[in-house]
Amino acid sequence: MITERELVERLAAMGWKGSRAVLLGPGDDAAVLRGGFTISTDIAVEGVHFRFDWVSAEEAGFRAGAAALSDLAAMGAVPLALLVSMAVPGDGDHSVAHDLQRGVRRSGDRVGVAIIGGDVSRSPGPVVLDVVVVGKAVGFVSRGGAEPDHHLWVSGSLGGAGAAVSAWSVGKSPDPAARIRFAAPPNRIPLGRALAGRGIARSMIDLSDGLIPDAGRIAAMSGARICIQTHRVPADPCAGGDLNLALVGGEDYELMFTANPGMESRILALGEELSVPLIRIGMVEAGTGVVLEDERGRRTDAGDAGFDHFATPWPDGPR
Ligand SMILES: [Mg+2]
């Protein structure tokens, strides 16, 4: 069985043959067209990405919109508009559709953009929600710019959303703060814009699948090795400081980026300016893949952990 990543890569290769209209094609957080227009799409499926015994329809909509906008943040783009398509049960009750749309609109309101279109269909099965985000990046930052000697940075704290999913998956109620980390991803648009616009970040990604797999994407796209110093990783207090959740929990929608070592004071000042914790968690080296280093300098290969929709079933849930 192929992994989700392999399927995405195969489909991207099928659809892409280069274009003079495109500055950055598939494989990054968003595509960038000539002129700087930046576009991405993000799908959320009931039973895979969310469940209605976990979150309300409005929360599911907000979460889907915020997750989609997070990809613009990772490019350093400014959002311009959203499009929303959904498939909902055809039982004559339109409240789910209204609540989903209201939630996505709230995510747009948070960054000052409106929903400019979309589509709706009856679904014979789960609710499916797809959000397209359109933005503009003046000087975009890709996943492919990490170079040996860069420092590795992350915003916020990690593992909270994963803690909520872990609790739900064993039939428990999550910590309220962890539930919020799942239902309401942060708005990192101002941070991404500043990191790109001020020439600080040289590579960047948003943390959707987990710190280790997403670090692996920067490593692969950059042709470099990422070393994560595990004792520096900001494990979310609402995850009980669980380092494993911080490393592989996913869905935190924080930003990870690399920058020249000389940028450290500017990065810390930017964190103060935006009231967002920015923490140095490692470095870039010559090589490939991701390694973990503890505070005594002992190293282990990070492997390829993280969420894969085709390989990792919920412990007790639907696929
Ligand atoms: Mg992304």
Side-chain angles (χ1 to χ4, degrees):
M1 189 167 74
I2 67 167
T3 65
E4 181 186 11
R5 190 189 310 185
E6 286 164 346
L7 179 59
V8 168
E9 285 170 359
R10 286 185 197 181
L11 296 178
M14 279 173 67
W16 173 244
K17 56 177 182 176
S19 165
R20 288 171 59 186
V22 179
L23 295 178
L24 184 67
D28 217 295
D29 288 293
V32 183
L33 307 185
R34 206 165 285 284
F37 290 102
T38 306
I39 303 177
S40 179
T41 182
D42 209 6
I43 197 164
V45 179
E46 179 190 1
V48 178
H49 299 90
F50 64 91
R51 286 166 46 165
F52 287 126
D53 52 350
W54 295 358
V55 292
S56 69
E58 183 169 338
E59 286 174 322
F62 182 86
R63 186 174 175 281
L69 285 160
S70 175
D71 280 324
L72 291 186
M75 303 303 292
V78 179
L80 297 176
L82 304 171
L83 294 100
V84 182
S85 294
M86 62 180 79
V88 294
D91 55 8
D93 176 5
H94 300 141
S95 65
V96 169
H98 288 165
D99 288 349
L100 290 169
Q101 185 83 343
R102 193 175 294 115
V104 179
R105 191 184 67 192
R106 268 203 302 118
S107 74
D109 288 345
R110 185 166 71 162
V111 297
V113 300
I115 299 169
I116 59 168
D119 198 7
V120 66
S121 167
R122 192 159 57 86
S123 169
V127 167
V128 179
L129 182 63
D130 185 71
V131 181
V132 173
V133 288
V134 183
K136 192 160 188 189
V138 175
F140 68 85
V141 179
S142 79
R143 297 174 175 179
E147 294 175 12
D149 295 332
H150 280 182
H151 286 169
L152 180 71
W153 294 78
V154 72
S155 65
S157 57
L158 308 178
V165 172
S166 291
W168 279 315
S169 298
V170 294
K172 293 183 184 166
S173 291
D175 180 295
R179 186 185 184 285
I180 287 170
R181 292 291 279 140
F182 178 85
N187 170 21
R188 297 299 182 226
I189 293 285
L191 175 61
R193 189 181 178 187
L195 288 169
R198 300 181 194 180
I200 296 172
R202 299 282 303 282
S203 69
M204 187 150 57
I205 190 170
D206 67 317
L207 295 176
S208 55
D209 291 351
L211 186 62
I212 289 174
D214 289 328
R217 298 198 167 107
I218 287 195
M221 291 285 280
S222 299
R225 171 183 296 145
I226 302 284
C227 173
I228 297 172
Q229 295 173 304
T230 51
H231 55 288
R232 295 177 183 268
V233 172
D236 200 313
C238 72
D242 185 325
L243 181 62
N244 194 51
L245 282 172
L247 291 173
V248 300
E251 310 195 85
D252 291 306
Y253 297 106
E254 295 290 352
L255 294 182
M256 175 164 57
F257 60 96
T258 71
N260 282 315
M263 287 288 176
E264 177 147 4
S265 60
R266 288 182 66 187
I267 292 167
L268 294 173
L270 176 61
E272 297 259 314
E273 179 188 328
L274 297 177
S275 297
V276 178
L278 297 177
I279 297 120
R280 181 161 64 85
I281 59 164
M283 67 284 271
V284 184
E285 304 171 341
T288 58
V290 180
V291 294
L292 304 179
E293 183 182 275
D294 71 13
E295 54 196 328
R296 290 161 65 182
R298 291 175 301 196
R299 290 186 160 209
T300 49
D301 192 338
D304 192 21
F307 191 76
D308 184 320
H309 292 119
F310 293 90
T312 313
W314 296 111
D316 70 343
R319 291 294 298 128

